[in-house]
Amino acid sequence: GGEVLDLTALEFAILGSLMRAGGRVKSREELIEEVSKRKFDVFDRSIDVHVCRLRQRLGEDAQHSQLIRTVRGAGYVLTAQVDALT
């Protein structure tokens, strides 16, 4: 919407990863390994916290997100058109 957002480097990396996925679901494991360059731990929920904060910065409610959707048991998917974000 033409508004400048102040994102952390990790939030920016997550958003970029989801954008590059082109509508494909990215698992938590894929996101953690891609954006933080470390191995995934089954009990690690840090990616969920970062996605939640990213949604807040984008002006979304985590329970009713239209932009970044949680796919239960699979991960996250960016549902908006990429050009709508630029």
Side-chain angles (χ1 to χ4, degrees):
E3 184 179 333
V4 176
L5 298 176
D6 186 25
L7 302 178
T8 66
L10 200 55
E11 291 165 349
F12 187 79
I14 292 168
L15 183 58
S17 177
L18 292 172
M19 290 172 72
R20 287 188 298 278
R24 182 179 67 82
V25 175
K26 296 281 290 215
S27 70
R28 287 174 175 85
E29 179 178 2
E30 288 175 304
L31 284 170
I32 286 175
E33 290 180 359
E34 182 178 338
V35 303
S36 68
K37 308 295 189 237
R38 64 182 173 86
K39 284 294 188 186
F40 177 72
D41 177 352
V42 169
F43 299 106
D44 187 352
R45 303 298 291 201
S46 64
I47 199 73
D48 301 323
V49 173
H50 292 293
V51 169
C52 181
R53 289 186 184 147
L54 178 58
R55 284 174 171 152
Q56 289 172 346
R57 292 182 196 271
L58 294 170
E60 297 230 305
D61 174 6
Q63 298 297 321
H64 305 99
S65 179
Q66 298 297 308
L67 186 59
I68 300 173
R69 194 179 67 165
T70 301
V71 179
R72 189 176 176 118
Y76 297 99
V77 63
L78 186 70
T79 58
Q81 295 293 330
V82 172
D83 44 327
L85 298 174
T86 57

